[in-house]
Amino acid sequence: MANENAVINEEIKPEFNPWIVSIPIIGAAFMFVLDETIANVALLHMAGSYSASREEALWILTSYLIASGIVIPAVDWFCKLMGRKAFFMFSILLFVCSSFLCGISNTLSMMIFSRIMQGLGGGALLPLAQAILLENFSVKDRGKAMALFGMVIVIAPIIGPVLGGWITDNLNWSWIFFINIPVGLATIILVKYLIYDPPYARKQKNIRIDTVGFFFLTLWLVTLQIILDKGNNADWFQAAWVRRMAVICVISAAVFFISQIKRKNTLVDLSVFKDRNFSVGTLIQVVVNFVLLASMALLPQFLQSLMGYNAYLSGLSMMPRGAGSLTSVILSGLLSNKIDNRILICIGLICVGIAGFQLSEVNLDISMTSISVPNFILGLGMGFSFVPSIALSAVTLKNNQMTNASGLQSLLRNIGGAIGTSLSGTMIARCSQMHQYYMVDNLNELNPVYMERLSETAAGLSLYAHPAEAQYMAQNVLYKQLVQQSTLLGFTDTFRMFSIAAMVVIPTVFLLKNINYKKE
């Protein structure tokens, strides 16, 4: 048992201070996560530049996610093929070159191709950053390292829309991509001189391509992303193509996982899921990312479609969440060695639940404070739940498992976020339809309240139109108010669902092993 613990807690001795080494690592991860959301607010501008519809322009976002999702689980295999440091530098270089191509793209097809290349380059950055950070810090300091990493995961997506909106309004949407070039080049130079490969992360001989695994992984993720992105517009399984795509998705996923379990020299090593801390910690992160990305898609829609905010102001409204996240990740780093990390995770999930219930009580007469306070609490919850869960999920793994485990964890987080984003749109549409179906019964001549409101509205409009026209216009006005209220209820139902999802996962926290870093 002592020997096993010695292997589990083995530490490498970096040549430089771990905090200095973390600079290029965090820079690379920040670029990738920022680019997941920075282009969202500029999408309409891009669509106008290419004379494309919004649905066509959405592929600018989805192509990036699909490409990065394909690379993420294959990170460990590429590290064995090229060596981890070389692969890390190659990924950053590909990301930078692709960012330049995105900025100069003059057609939609060129932009989509460039975003695919950018996703292929960026997909490896997050799991590699997580693995290198965990290795360079001692076991007792991994909580602080994950606080730094959690800051990237939680805060970068929040900064993205604000920064993207400012750049689009004051410069040009191309600069959303050009800003990656100096940061990326500086990161490559720092990686070259500050990071080294431990023996297990160096280039290995006789590494073969797992063509079966890679093919079915690609097929699974591409079909899944297409279903999630386009399914709601096609009324999901009412469309024949969605049913066919779903069958292909399920079969390819099953074949992929079976091939990784049964065969040798595979793309990923699924044996890490035998580690209870890793499995439970990954589940918690998937749920938190589900709520994080879905709520980030919901709030701007709510503020723009129902409250009349513009793109920049709706992005700016997310800043209190960034302040809450920054506060909680700092506190998590300071407290990780002093109290049970499971308590921090529970506090975080409770904060997410409270914020969800507060947002489910909003109406059309609220002030900015009514959005800012729940957003701040939600930010607190994100930091408190993300940082300790990442640290606890990795603390019982061996160092030579980190790269593979980080890749799998990042893949599942991405899938959770994609499902959350897609499900949020579906929930709003379905719940709004349901509330409209029940509320429309009140718009009839037997309802005295409706008739009184109709008469008042028609009387006001009759000053500007014929009485018959005013009556017809009044009916339209009241019906639009009904649609607006039913849409509001759709949003509040969806916020409530996120709150329940966070609360339900709390009992799983106590399945994590209680690792007391203070005694290490």
Side-chain angles (χ1 to χ4, degrees):
M1 185 67 180
N3 291 335
E4 182 182 349
N5 289 334
V7 173
I8 288 175
N9 295 322
E10 61 180 335
E11 297 177 10
I12 63 174
K13 295 181 180 179
E15 297 179 3
F16 301 95
N17 185 301
W19 293 105
I20 296 176
V21 175
S22 68
I23 294 173
I25 299 171
I26 292 301
F30 192 87
M31 282 194 306
F32 169 72
V33 181
L34 187 73
D35 271 46
E36 286 185 331
T37 59
I38 195 172
N40 291 14
V41 293
L43 197 63
L44 292 179
H45 295 266
M46 296 181 192
S49 299
Y50 302 133
S51 299
S53 66
R54 179 174 175 81
E55 287 72 23
E56 292 173 328
L58 278 173
W59 282 101
I60 297 173
L61 305 180
T62 56
S63 57
Y64 181 77
L65 296 174
I66 292 171
S68 62
I70 292 170
V71 171
I72 285 173
V75 165
D76 190 46
W77 181 85
F78 279 113
C79 289
K80 293 176 182 177
L81 182 69
M82 301 173 60
R84 189 171 65 188
K85 178 178 176 178
F87 179 53
F88 195 29
M89 293 175 65
F90 171 78
S91 297
I92 299 172
L93 181 61
L94 179 58
F95 185 86
V96 169
C97 294
S98 302
S99 296
F100 176 74
L101 291 177
C102 288
I104 64 172
S105 295
N106 53 14
T107 64
L108 181 61
S109 57
M110 182 179 176
M111 170 59 83
I112 293 173
F113 171 78
S114 301
R115 286 286 279 179
I116 290 173
M117 299 304 295
Q118 191 185 36
L120 291 174
L125 300 183
L126 208 59
L128 285 176
Q130 181 179 335
I132 296 172
L133 275 178
L134 286 168
E135 291 175 7
N136 278 271
F137 284 83
S138 63
V139 174
K140 65 184 180 64
D141 288 329
R142 282 179 178 173
K144 297 177 182 178
M146 287 304 97
L148 188 63
F149 185 70
M151 192 181 303
V152 172
I153 294 178
V154 176
I155 295 179
I158 298 171
I159 295 175
V162 181
L163 181 60
W166 185 88
I167 291 175
T168 302
D169 289 342
N170 293 277
L171 298 172
N172 183 281
W173 62 259
S174 297
W175 285 96
I176 288 174
F177 302 105
F178 288 151
I179 60 173
N180 291 327
I181 297 173
V183 177
L185 293 177
T187 301
I188 292 174
I189 295 172
L190 291 174
V191 168
K192 179 176 176 60
Y193 291 104
L194 294 179
I195 295 177
Y196 80 102
D197 283 341
Y200 52 81
R202 293 171 188 164
K203 181 178 179 180
Q204 299 181 17
K205 297 180 180 179
N206 301 321
I207 298 299
R208 297 181 179 179
I209 299 176
D210 181 9
T211 52
V212 174
F214 199 80
F215 172 78
F216 283 104
L217 170 68
T218 303
L219 187 61
W220 167 40
L221 293 179
V222 168
T223 52
L224 175 65
Q225 193 67 50
I226 291 173
I227 291 171
L228 292 176
D229 286 339
K230 308 300 180 184
N232 188 47
N233 292 337
D235 201 19
W236 295 104
F237 293 104
Q238 297 299 318
W241 74 264
V242 174
R243 294 195 295 270
R244 289 193 294 268
M245 195 76 73
V247 171
I248 296 173
C249 180
V250 171
I251 293 175
S252 58
V255 173
F256 169 73
F257 284 112
I258 292 172
S259 71
Q260 301 304 291
I261 294 172
K262 298 292 186 181
R263 298 167 64 244
K264 296 180 180 180
N265 300 319
T266 52
L267 202 62
V268 296
D269 180 10
L270 299 178
S271 64
V272 289
F273 286 106
K274 295 179 181 178
D275 186 290
R276 189 174 70 187
N277 265 37
F278 177 76
S279 298
V280 175
T282 300
L283 172 64
I284 294 170
Q285 292 172 54
V286 168
V287 173
V288 173
N289 211 45
F290 170 94
V291 176
L292 171 65
L293 293 186
S295 60
M296 287 196 64
L298 274 183
L299 269 177
Q301 289 183 47
F302 169 74
L303 294 174
Q304 291 181 48
S305 62
L306 295 180
M307 300 296 294
Y309 285 42
N310 60 29
Y312 175 70
L313 288 178
S314 63
L316 193 63
S317 69
M318 307 299 288
M319 291 307 292
R321 185 183 300 191
S325 299
L326 182 61
T327 302
S328 57
V329 295
I330 292 174
L331 290 176
S332 295
L334 295 175
L335 298 174
S336 61
N337 295 336
K338 297 180 174 60
I339 66 175
D340 189 339
N341 279 223
R342 296 178 300 178
I343 295 176
L344 294 177
I345 298 174
C346 288
I347 292 173
L349 292 172
I350 290 171
C351 286
V352 173
I354 292 173
F357 276 116
Q358 287 182 323
L359 289 172
S360 70
E361 299 297 324
V362 297
N363 56 58
L364 299 181
D365 297 320
I366 59 172
S367 64
M368 177 63 83
T369 305
S370 301
I371 295 294
S372 300
V373 172
N375 249 340
F376 181 81
I377 297 174
L378 189 57
L380 284 175
M382 294 298 175
F384 278 131
S385 52
F386 245 127
V387 175
S389 64
I390 294 175
L392 283 184
S393 68
V395 76
T396 51
L397 294 175
K398 301 175 185 178
N399 276 346
N400 60 4
Q401 295 177 302
M402 291 298 184
T403 304
N404 173 69
S406 299
L408 287 170
Q409 201 168 75
S410 297
L411 170 66
L412 294 175
R413 278 202 303 259
N414 275 14
I415 292 175
I419 292 174
T421 304
S422 176
L423 188 60
S424 65
T426 301
M427 282 285 294
I428 292 173
R430 304 296 185 188
C431 292
S432 298
Q433 291 171 358
M434 179 188 70
H435 287 295
Q436 184 176 339
Y437 175 79
Y438 288 112
M439 292 169 67
V440 77
D441 286 342
N442 296 314
L443 303 186
N444 62 77
E445 296 178 354
L446 300 178
N447 185 345
V449 176
Y450 167 68
M451 295 305 297
E452 180 181 355
R453 180 66 61 84
L454 181 65
S455 298
E456 292 174 353
T457 306
L461 292 172
S462 64
L463 299 174
Y464 310 98
H466 188 275
E469 293 179 350
Q471 185 78 5
Y472 177 75
M473 293 167 63
Q475 290 175 341
N476 281 333
V477 168
L478 295 183
Y479 179 72
K480 287 180 180 179
Q481 291 178 354
L482 181 143
V483 172
Q484 190 179 48
Q485 288 295 323
S486 63
T487 304
L488 170 65
L489 292 175
F491 275 102
T492 57
D493 288 346
T494 308
F495 286 129
R496 193 174 294 113
M497 179 195 70
F498 294 153
S499 176
I500 294 171
M503 293 295 191
V504 166
V505 82
I506 289 177
T508 65
V509 175
F510 298 99
L511 296 175
L512 292 165
K513 293 180 182 178
N514 180 19
I515 305 296
N516 190 342
Y517 292 119
K518 198 171 182 179
K519 294 182 180 180
E520 293 289 343

PDB file of all heavy atoms in Angstrom, residues 311-340:
ATOM      1  N   ALA A 311     -26.157  44.224 -27.983  1.00  0.00           N
ATOM      2  CA  ALA A 311     -25.196  43.127 -27.838  1.00  0.00           C
ATOM      3  C   ALA A 311     -24.123  43.449 -26.795  1.00  0.00           C
ATOM      4  O   ALA A 311     -23.769  42.599 -25.970  1.00  0.00           O
ATOM      5  CB  ALA A 311     -24.540  42.822 -29.187  1.00  0.00           C
ATOM      6  N   TYR A 312     -23.623  44.684 -26.825  1.00  0.00           N
ATOM      7  CA  TYR A 312     -22.548  45.032 -25.892  1.00  0.00           C
ATOM      8  C   TYR A 312     -23.048  45.039 -24.451  1.00  0.00           C
ATOM      9  O   TYR A 312     -22.392  44.518 -23.541  1.00  0.00           O
ATOM     10  CB  TYR A 312     -21.970  46.396 -26.252  1.00  0.00           C
ATOM     11  CG  TYR A 312     -20.929  46.885 -25.264  1.00  0.00           C
ATOM     12  CD1 TYR A 312     -19.684  46.276 -25.183  1.00  0.00           C
ATOM     13  CD2 TYR A 312     -21.209  47.950 -24.408  1.00  0.00           C
ATOM     14  CE1 TYR A 312     -18.731  46.710 -24.272  1.00  0.00           C
ATOM     15  CE2 TYR A 312     -20.261  48.390 -23.494  1.00  0.00           C
ATOM     16  CZ  TYR A 312     -19.029  47.764 -23.431  1.00  0.00           C
ATOM     17  OH  TYR A 312     -18.102  48.191 -22.521  1.00  0.00           O
ATOM     18  N   LEU A 313     -24.223  45.623 -24.216  1.00  0.00           N
ATOM     19  CA  LEU A 313     -24.753  45.690 -22.851  1.00  0.00           C
ATOM     20  C   LEU A 313     -25.113  44.307 -22.314  1.00  0.00           C
ATOM     21  O   LEU A 313     -24.924  44.023 -21.131  1.00  0.00           O
ATOM     22  CB  LEU A 313     -25.983  46.607 -22.807  1.00  0.00           C
ATOM     23  CG  LEU A 313     -25.720  48.109 -22.946  1.00  0.00           C
ATOM     24  CD1 LEU A 313     -27.033  48.885 -22.946  1.00  0.00           C
ATOM     25  CD2 LEU A 313     -24.812  48.601 -21.819  1.00  0.00           C
ATOM     26  N   SER A 314     -25.640  43.450 -23.190  1.00  0.00           N
ATOM     27  CA  SER A 314     -25.967  42.097 -22.734  1.00  0.00           C
ATOM     28  C   SER A 314     -24.692  41.328 -22.380  1.00  0.00           C
ATOM     29  O   SER A 314     -24.676  40.535 -21.437  1.00  0.00           O
ATOM     30  CB  SER A 314     -26.758  41.345 -23.806  1.00  0.00           C
ATOM     31  OG  SER A 314     -25.992  41.169 -24.980  1.00  0.00           O
ATOM     32  N   GLY A 315     -23.609  41.582 -23.139  1.00  0.00           N
ATOM     33  CA  GLY A 315     -22.333  40.963 -22.785  1.00  0.00           C
ATOM     34  C   GLY A 315     -21.773  41.548 -21.502  1.00  0.00           C
ATOM     35  O   GLY A 315     -21.218  40.833 -20.656  1.00  0.00           O
ATOM     36  N   LEU A 316     -21.935  42.871 -21.334  1.00  0.00           N
ATOM     37  CA  LEU A 316     -21.451  43.541 -20.131  1.00  0.00           C
ATOM     38  C   LEU A 316     -22.177  43.047 -18.882  1.00  0.00           C
ATOM     39  O   LEU A 316     -21.609  43.024 -17.783  1.00  0.00           O
ATOM     40  CB  LEU A 316     -21.634  45.053 -20.279  1.00  0.00           C
ATOM     41  CG  LEU A 316     -20.914  45.953 -19.267  1.00  0.00           C
ATOM     42  CD1 LEU A 316     -19.409  45.793 -19.392  1.00  0.00           C
ATOM     43  CD2 LEU A 316     -21.329  47.403 -19.473  1.00  0.00           C
ATOM     44  N   SER A 317     -23.425  42.631 -19.033  1.00  0.00           N
ATOM     45  CA  SER A 317     -24.196  42.144 -17.887  1.00  0.00           C
ATOM     46  C   SER A 317     -23.609  40.868 -17.293  1.00  0.00           C
ATOM     47  O   SER A 317     -23.957  40.484 -16.173  1.00  0.00           O
ATOM     48  CB  SER A 317     -25.648  41.900 -18.307  1.00  0.00           C
ATOM     49  OG  SER A 317     -25.737  40.784 -19.185  1.00  0.00           O
ATOM     50  N   MET A 318     -22.711  40.205 -18.046  1.00  0.00           N
ATOM     51  CA  MET A 318     -22.083  38.982 -17.555  1.00  0.00           C
ATOM     52  C   MET A 318     -20.885  39.268 -16.659  1.00  0.00           C
ATOM     53  O   MET A 318     -20.341  38.352 -16.035  1.00  0.00           O
ATOM     54  CB  MET A 318     -21.619  38.122 -18.738  1.00  0.00           C
ATOM     55  CG  MET A 318     -22.694  37.817 -19.771  1.00  0.00           C
ATOM     56  SD  MET A 318     -24.080  36.898 -19.087  1.00  0.00           S
ATOM     57  CE  MET A 318     -23.315  35.312 -18.851  1.00  0.00           C
ATOM     58  N   MET A 319     -20.453  40.516 -16.560  1.00  0.00           N
ATOM     59  CA  MET A 319     -19.263  40.840 -15.788  1.00  0.00           C
ATOM     60  C   MET A 319     -19.386  40.525 -14.295  1.00  0.00           C
ATOM     61  O   MET A 319     -18.414  40.097 -13.675  1.00  0.00           O
ATOM     62  CB  MET A 319     -18.888  42.310 -15.988  1.00  0.00           C
ATOM     63  CG  MET A 319     -18.369  42.610 -17.396  1.00  0.00           C
ATOM     64  SD  MET A 319     -17.010  41.542 -17.910  1.00  0.00           S
ATOM     65  CE  MET A 319     -15.720  42.097 -16.806  1.00  0.00           C
ATOM     66  N   PRO A 320     -20.561  40.731 -13.656  1.00  0.00           N
ATOM     67  CA  PRO A 320     -20.650  40.318 -12.247  1.00  0.00           C
ATOM     68  C   PRO A 320     -20.353  38.834 -12.039  1.00  0.00           C
ATOM     69  O   PRO A 320     -19.799  38.456 -11.005  1.00  0.00           O
ATOM     70  CB  PRO A 320     -22.113  40.650 -11.888  1.00  0.00           C
ATOM     71  CG  PRO A 320     -22.481  41.745 -12.814  1.00  0.00           C
ATOM     72  CD  PRO A 320     -21.774  41.442 -14.096  1.00  0.00           C
ATOM     73  N   ARG A 321     -20.697  38.016 -13.034  1.00  0.00           N
ATOM     74  CA  ARG A 321     -20.363  36.594 -12.924  1.00  0.00           C
ATOM     75  C   ARG A 321     -18.852  36.412 -12.927  1.00  0.00           C
ATOM     76  O   ARG A 321     -18.311  35.572 -12.199  1.00  0.00           O
ATOM     77  CB  ARG A 321     -20.987  35.795 -14.066  1.00  0.00           C
ATOM     78  CG  ARG A 321     -20.776  34.297 -13.923  1.00  0.00           C
ATOM     79  CD  ARG A 321     -21.328  33.519 -15.091  1.00  0.00           C
ATOM     80  NE  ARG A 321     -22.757  33.719 -15.251  1.00  0.00           N
ATOM     81  CZ  ARG A 321     -23.519  32.990 -16.059  1.00  0.00           C
ATOM     82  NH1 ARG A 321     -22.968  32.020 -16.779  1.00  0.00           N
ATOM     83  NH2 ARG A 321     -24.799  33.235 -16.167  1.00  0.00           N
ATOM     84  N   GLY A 322     -18.157  37.204 -13.762  1.00  0.00           N
ATOM     85  CA  GLY A 322     -16.700  37.139 -13.773  1.00  0.00           C
ATOM     86  C   GLY A 322     -16.108  37.551 -12.434  1.00  0.00           C
ATOM     87  O   GLY A 322     -15.147  36.935 -11.955  1.00  0.00           O
ATOM     88  N   ALA A 323     -16.694  38.595 -11.818  1.00  0.00           N
ATOM     89  CA  ALA A 323     -16.211  39.028 -10.502  1.00  0.00           C
ATOM     90  C   ALA A 323     -16.435  37.939  -9.458  1.00  0.00           C
ATOM     91  O   ALA A 323     -15.565  37.680  -8.612  1.00  0.00           O
ATOM     92  CB  ALA A 323     -16.928  40.321 -10.087  1.00  0.00           C
ATOM     93  N   GLY A 324     -17.600  37.290  -9.523  1.00  0.00           N
ATOM     94  CA  GLY A 324     -17.876  36.201  -8.588  1.00  0.00           C
ATOM     95  C   GLY A 324     -16.941  35.027  -8.793  1.00  0.00           C
ATOM     96  O   GLY A 324     -16.447  34.425  -7.826  1.00  0.00           O
ATOM     97  N   SER A 325     -16.662  34.707 -10.045  1.00  0.00           N
ATOM     98  CA  SER A 325     -15.758  33.596 -10.357  1.00  0.00           C
ATOM     99  C   SER A 325     -14.349  33.891  -9.875  1.00  0.00           C
ATOM    100  O   SER A 325     -13.677  33.024  -9.304  1.00  0.00           O
ATOM    101  CB  SER A 325     -15.750  33.334 -11.864  1.00  0.00           C
ATOM    102  OG  SER A 325     -17.036  32.985 -12.330  1.00  0.00           O
ATOM    103  N   LEU A 326     -13.893  35.111 -10.123  1.00  0.00           N
ATOM    104  CA  LEU A 326     -12.548  35.497  -9.687  1.00  0.00           C
ATOM    105  C   LEU A 326     -12.429  35.400  -8.164  1.00  0.00           C
ATOM    106  O   LEU A 326     -11.428  34.890  -7.641  1.00  0.00           O
ATOM    107  CB  LEU A 326     -12.247  36.921 -10.153  1.00  0.00           C
ATOM    108  CG  LEU A 326     -10.859  37.472  -9.815  1.00  0.00           C
ATOM    109  CD1 LEU A 326      -9.776  36.622 -10.470  1.00  0.00           C
ATOM    110  CD2 LEU A 326     -10.744  38.925 -10.254  1.00  0.00           C
ATOM    111  N   THR A 327     -13.458  35.859  -7.477  1.00  0.00           N
ATOM    112  CA  THR A 327     -13.452  35.787  -6.011  1.00  0.00           C
ATOM    113  C   THR A 327     -13.374  34.346  -5.525  1.00  0.00           C
ATOM    114  O   THR A 327     -12.578  34.009  -4.640  1.00  0.00           O
ATOM    115  CB  THR A 327     -14.719  36.452  -5.445  1.00  0.00           C
ATOM    116  OG1 THR A 327     -14.794  37.814  -5.882  1.00  0.00           O
ATOM    117  CG2 THR A 327     -14.730  36.406  -3.916  1.00  0.00           C
ATOM    118  N   SER A 328     -14.191  33.482  -6.110  1.00  0.00           N
ATOM    119  CA  SER A 328     -14.259  32.099  -5.627  1.00  0.00           C
ATOM    120  C   SER A 328     -13.026  31.282  -5.981  1.00  0.00           C
ATOM    121  O   SER A 328     -12.596  30.434  -5.189  1.00  0.00           O
ATOM    122  CB  SER A 328     -15.524  31.411  -6.162  1.00  0.00           C
ATOM    123  OG  SER A 328     -15.558  31.438  -7.572  1.00  0.00           O
ATOM    124  N   VAL A 329     -12.427  31.514  -7.155  1.00  0.00           N
ATOM    125  CA  VAL A 329     -11.224  30.742  -7.495  1.00  0.00           C
ATOM    126  C   VAL A 329     -10.047  31.150  -6.611  1.00  0.00           C
ATOM    127  O   VAL A 329      -9.212  30.301  -6.239  1.00  0.00           O
ATOM    128  CB  VAL A 329     -10.852  30.873  -8.992  1.00  0.00           C
ATOM    129  CG1 VAL A 329     -11.907  30.261  -9.870  1.00  0.00           C
ATOM    130  CG2 VAL A 329     -10.568  32.312  -9.386  1.00  0.00           C
ATOM    131  N   ILE A 330      -9.984  32.421  -6.248  1.00  0.00           N
ATOM    132  CA  ILE A 330      -8.929  32.864  -5.325  1.00  0.00           C
ATOM    133  C   ILE A 330      -9.144  32.236  -3.956  1.00  0.00           C
ATOM    134  O   ILE A 330      -8.205  31.702  -3.340  1.00  0.00           O
ATOM    135  CB  ILE A 330      -8.893  34.400  -5.231  1.00  0.00           C
ATOM    136  CG1 ILE A 330      -8.434  35.004  -6.562  1.00  0.00           C
ATOM    137  CG2 ILE A 330      -7.978  34.855  -4.096  1.00  0.00           C
ATOM    138  CD1 ILE A 330      -8.516  36.515  -6.614  1.00  0.00           C
ATOM    139  N   LEU A 331     -10.384  32.285  -3.464  1.00  0.00           N
ATOM    140  CA  LEU A 331     -10.690  31.682  -2.164  1.00  0.00           C
ATOM    141  C   LEU A 331     -10.456  30.179  -2.182  1.00  0.00           C
ATOM    142  O   LEU A 331      -9.968  29.604  -1.198  1.00  0.00           O
ATOM    143  CB  LEU A 331     -12.136  31.991  -1.772  1.00  0.00           C
ATOM    144  CG  LEU A 331     -12.444  33.449  -1.403  1.00  0.00           C
ATOM    145  CD1 LEU A 331     -13.932  33.641  -1.141  1.00  0.00           C
ATOM    146  CD2 LEU A 331     -11.637  33.869  -0.166  1.00  0.00           C
ATOM    147  N   SER A 332     -10.798  29.528  -3.295  1.00  0.00           N
ATOM    148  CA  SER A 332     -10.583  28.077  -3.405  1.00  0.00           C
ATOM    149  C   SER A 332      -9.101  27.736  -3.299  1.00  0.00           C
ATOM    150  O   SER A 332      -8.716  26.770  -2.634  1.00  0.00           O
ATOM    151  CB  SER A 332     -11.135  27.559  -4.737  1.00  0.00           C
ATOM    152  OG  SER A 332     -12.520  27.706  -4.804  1.00  0.00           O
ATOM    153  N   GLY A 333      -8.266  28.540  -3.967  1.00  0.00           N
ATOM    154  CA  GLY A 333      -6.831  28.304  -3.885  1.00  0.00           C
ATOM    155  C   GLY A 333      -6.294  28.493  -2.483  1.00  0.00           C
ATOM    156  O   GLY A 333      -5.434  27.729  -2.024  1.00  0.00           O
ATOM    157  N   LEU A 334      -6.819  29.496  -1.764  1.00  0.00           N
ATOM    158  CA  LEU A 334      -6.345  29.763  -0.405  1.00  0.00           C
ATOM    159  C   LEU A 334      -6.851  28.734   0.602  1.00  0.00           C
ATOM    160  O   LEU A 334      -6.154  28.401   1.567  1.00  0.00           O
ATOM    161  CB  LEU A 334      -6.790  31.163   0.028  1.00  0.00           C
ATOM    162  CG  LEU A 334      -6.196  32.343  -0.760  1.00  0.00           C
ATOM    163  CD1 LEU A 334      -6.820  33.652  -0.308  1.00  0.00           C
ATOM    164  CD2 LEU A 334      -4.673  32.399  -0.578  1.00  0.00           C
ATOM    165  N   LEU A 335      -8.059  28.219   0.378  1.00  0.00           N
ATOM    166  CA  LEU A 335      -8.680  27.318   1.348  1.00  0.00           C
ATOM    167  C   LEU A 335      -8.465  25.843   1.049  1.00  0.00           C
ATOM    168  O   LEU A 335      -8.796  24.998   1.872  1.00  0.00           O
ATOM    169  CB  LEU A 335     -10.196  27.591   1.408  1.00  0.00           C
ATOM    170  CG  LEU A 335     -10.621  28.991   1.867  1.00  0.00           C
ATOM    171  CD1 LEU A 335     -12.131  29.162   1.735  1.00  0.00           C
ATOM    172  CD2 LEU A 335     -10.191  29.230   3.317  1.00  0.00           C
ATOM    173  N   SER A 336      -7.916  25.516  -0.129  1.00  0.00           N
ATOM    174  CA  SER A 336      -7.838  24.122  -0.546  1.00  0.00           C
ATOM    175  C   SER A 336      -7.009  23.263   0.398  1.00  0.00           C
ATOM    176  O   SER A 336      -7.259  22.068   0.539  1.00  0.00           O
ATOM    177  CB  SER A 336      -7.262  24.024  -1.963  1.00  0.00           C
ATOM    178  OG  SER A 336      -5.948  24.567  -2.005  1.00  0.00           O
ATOM    179  N   ASN A 337      -6.006  23.859   1.052  1.00  0.00           N
ATOM    180  CA  ASN A 337      -5.165  23.102   1.984  1.00  0.00           C
ATOM    181  C   ASN A 337      -5.678  23.148   3.413  1.00  0.00           C
ATOM    182  O   ASN A 337      -5.106  22.503   4.289  1.00  0.00           O
ATOM    183  CB  ASN A 337      -3.726  23.640   1.973  1.00  0.00           C
ATOM    184  CG  ASN A 337      -3.053  23.436   0.635  1.00  0.00           C
ATOM    185  OD1 ASN A 337      -3.429  22.549  -0.123  1.00  0.00           O
ATOM    186  ND2 ASN A 337      -2.069  24.265   0.335  1.00  0.00           N
ATOM    187  N   LYS A 338      -6.731  23.919   3.645  1.00  0.00           N
ATOM    188  CA  LYS A 338      -7.169  24.156   5.018  1.00  0.00           C
ATOM    189  C   LYS A 338      -8.473  23.455   5.377  1.00  0.00           C
ATOM    190  O   LYS A 338      -8.698  23.125   6.542  1.00  0.00           O
ATOM    191  CB  LYS A 338      -7.306  25.671   5.266  1.00  0.00           C
ATOM    192  CG  LYS A 338      -5.987  26.432   5.134  1.00  0.00           C
ATOM    193  CD  LYS A 338      -6.189  27.915   5.381  1.00  0.00           C
ATOM    194  CE  LYS A 338      -4.855  28.667   5.388  1.00  0.00           C
ATOM    195  NZ  LYS A 338      -4.098  28.569   4.158  1.00  0.00           N
ATOM    196  N   ILE A 339      -9.375  23.273   4.428  1.00  0.00           N
ATOM    197  CA  ILE A 339     -10.645  22.608   4.721  1.00  0.00           C
ATOM    198  C   ILE A 339     -10.904  21.518   3.687  1.00  0.00           C
ATOM    199  O   ILE A 339     -10.253  21.462   2.645  1.00  0.00           O
ATOM    200  CB  ILE A 339     -11.825  23.612   4.736  1.00  0.00           C
ATOM    201  CG1 ILE A 339     -12.052  24.201   3.341  1.00  0.00           C
ATOM    202  CG2 ILE A 339     -11.581  24.716   5.739  1.00  0.00           C
ATOM    203  CD1 ILE A 339     -13.278  25.096   3.273  1.00  0.00           C
ATOM    204  N   ASP A 340     -11.850  20.664   4.004  1.00  0.00           N
ATOM    205  CA  ASP A 340     -12.233  19.576   3.120  1.00  0.00           C
ATOM    206  C   ASP A 340     -12.734  20.149   1.793  1.00  0.00           C
ATOM    207  O   ASP A 340     -13.670  20.949   1.759  1.00  0.00           O
ATOM    208  CB  ASP A 340     -13.336  18.754   3.796  1.00  0.00           C
ATOM    209  CG  ASP A 340     -13.649  17.472   3.051  1.00  0.00           C
ATOM    210  OD1 ASP A 340     -13.332  17.385   1.853  1.00  0.00           O
ATOM    211  OD2 ASP A 340     -14.216  16.552   3.672  1.00  0.00           O
TER     212      ASP A 340
END
